Amino acid sequence: MPRKRATLREVAQATGLSPAAVSYALRGLQVSEETMQRVRAAADRLGYEADPIARALASGRTGMIGLLCASLEDLWQQSLAVGISRGLREKDRYALILDAVGDPGRERALAQQLRDQRVDGMIVQPLDPAAEFWPELCESLPVVAIGDSLAGTAGEVVFDNRRGVTLALEHLRALGHRRVGVLTPTRPSTPDRPADVHVTAEGDRLGLDIEVATAPHDLAAATAAARALLTGARPSAVFCFADSIAYGVYAAAAELGLSIPGDVSVLGYDDHPMSGLLTPGLTTVDWNIDGIVSAAVRLMAEAADGGARRRRVVQQPTLRERGSVAAR
């Protein structure tokens, strides 16, 4: 005969707490770490399992958070999604992960789909921060933006792209590079992404000859874009707005018989763990993915629980120097 599932009240009796305090502890809210661990241990011992349907009906919440990724072909975004999913699980929530595959139109459709499915909130790394639908969508559910700022969000973890771009370009200029190719995943339809705007402005300020080209995140397409950039009047360095794109530069250089950094220097922009395993290791701009995950999960949990005050975290970059950039 199957064991009867323990109730929240039974867990409360076993711990000497009120049912409300037990509920908060099981969700990791408004209680000490010691209390949370004690309640969860009692719940495990008694075999307590929250009834998700009953909880959703009682609270009007599903426990689901939409995680809308710009492109899961980007290995760094894959790592970000894994970290956020695990972080939300620790907050007794689940991530519903959707992939916009680099398409702003698909991003809009998926964002609206998540809203219509009544998720408790949404975390998004927007492809098109200037799109007109964001303010209206942010009025209908809590949204936390990662990377670029959005109007009306409950919270945002924004990257200091001006500082990141400056770190990269000043490093190249100090080593004697003057002609720099830039590979960005941004499409021509969304040309006002802050990082892309900053790279042109900083290039002018530093007296660099900047050539910007579009490159998708997937390896084959990134390799093709890099091959086109490296054929003909070759830049002395290539700055990529994603390490995944930089991997395509490595592949294209190998195809063309070019050495890194002897013939061309390569610089990335997010410090994916794989970047340190390349030969030579990829010099890149590190955004501290663990800090981003922690901040995004915290802001989302606060917003989904009714936190009214908008919070903004600015993520600062550091330059991770390895062997892919050399003096010109």
Side-chain angles (χ1 to χ4, degrees):
M1 183 175 183
R3 179 182 176 185
K4 180 182 177 183
R5 184 165 62 185
T7 66
L8 188 71
R9 188 170 297 278
E10 288 172 331
V11 178
Q13 291 172 347
T15 56
L17 299 171
S18 69
V22 168
S23 178
Y24 280 126
L26 290 172
R27 289 182 289 156
L29 304 172
Q30 302 181 20
V31 297
S32 67
E33 180 70 20
E34 185 276 333
T35 298
M36 182 178 70
Q37 295 299 332
R38 181 160 60 91
V39 168
R40 290 184 174 178
D44 289 341
R45 186 174 66 252
L46 295 170
Y48 171 78
E49 295 180 8
D51 185 336
I53 297 176
R55 184 171 61 184
L57 290 173
S59 65
R61 297 175 181 174
T62 64
M64 300 296 297
I65 302 296
L67 177 55
L68 180 51
C69 303
S71 174
L72 286 176
E73 289 177 328
D74 180 359
L75 299 179
W76 186 84
Q77 289 187 46
Q78 291 181 21
S79 297
L80 186 72
V82 169
I84 289 175
S85 178
R86 290 174 177 171
L88 289 172
R89 182 66 190 90
E90 292 174 0
K91 298 289 187 181
D92 198 25
R93 292 181 169 85
Y94 298 87
L96 179 57
I97 303 173
L98 297 178
D99 181 10
V101 298
D103 181 352
R106 182 178 174 86
E107 176 180 64
R108 173 175 182 166
L110 291 178
Q112 293 171 338
Q113 180 180 337
L114 286 170
R115 177 199 60 196
D116 295 343
Q117 291 180 343
R118 301 194 179 280
V119 294
D120 295 341
M122 183 190 307
I123 299 175
V124 60
Q125 188 175 4
L127 284 165
D128 186 5
E132 295 180 357
F133 74 91
W134 286 120
E136 179 183 354
L137 185 133
C138 290
E139 288 182 0
S140 60
L141 81 166
V143 175
V144 170
I146 295 177
D148 293 318
S149 182
L150 292 178
T153 55
E156 53 189 21
V157 185
V158 297
F159 302 166
D160 187 350
N161 279 300
R162 185 181 297 278
R163 178 61 181 156
V165 167
T166 298
L167 276 175
L169 295 185
E170 285 187 345
H171 182 63
L172 293 175
R173 188 181 187 282
L175 291 174
H177 296 277
R178 294 296 181 269
R179 188 164 187 272
V180 178
V182 175
L183 292 177
T184 173
T186 301
R187 297 188 177 193
S189 60
T190 57
D192 53 354
R193 290 289 299 275
D196 298 79
V197 173
H198 295 332
V199 80
T200 303
E202 283 297 275
D204 290 343
R205 182 181 71 83
L206 295 170
L208 302 177
D209 179 8
I210 298 287
E211 179 183 355
V212 180
T214 299
H217 287 105
D218 73 276
L219 183 59
T223 301
R227 188 187 307 114
L229 185 67
L230 296 176
T231 302
R234 185 173 70 243
S236 65
V238 180
F239 174 32
C240 305
F241 273 134
D243 284 13
S244 290
I245 296 175
Y247 304 156
V249 181
Y250 274 64
E255 290 180 8
L256 296 171
L258 303 175
S259 68
I260 297 173
D263 295 316
V264 61
S265 290
V266 185
L267 199 153
Y269 203 60
D270 47 44
D271 196 24
H272 186 272
M274 190 181 297
S275 297
L277 304 178
L278 300 176
T279 303
L282 177 65
T283 294
T284 185
V285 177
D286 180 6
W287 291 101
N288 181 14
I289 192 169
D290 291 338
I292 294 169
V293 166
S294 177
V297 169
R298 183 180 72 253
L299 293 178
M300 188 73 264
E302 292 173 356
D305 286 327
R309 188 161 68 92
R310 185 174 187 267
R311 297 177 182 272
R312 188 173 197 259
V313 175
V314 179
Q315 200 73 16
Q316 294 295 332
T318 56
L319 186 67
R320 179 68 64 89
E321 294 186 50
R322 296 192 179 97
S324 65
V325 177
R328 181 62 173 166

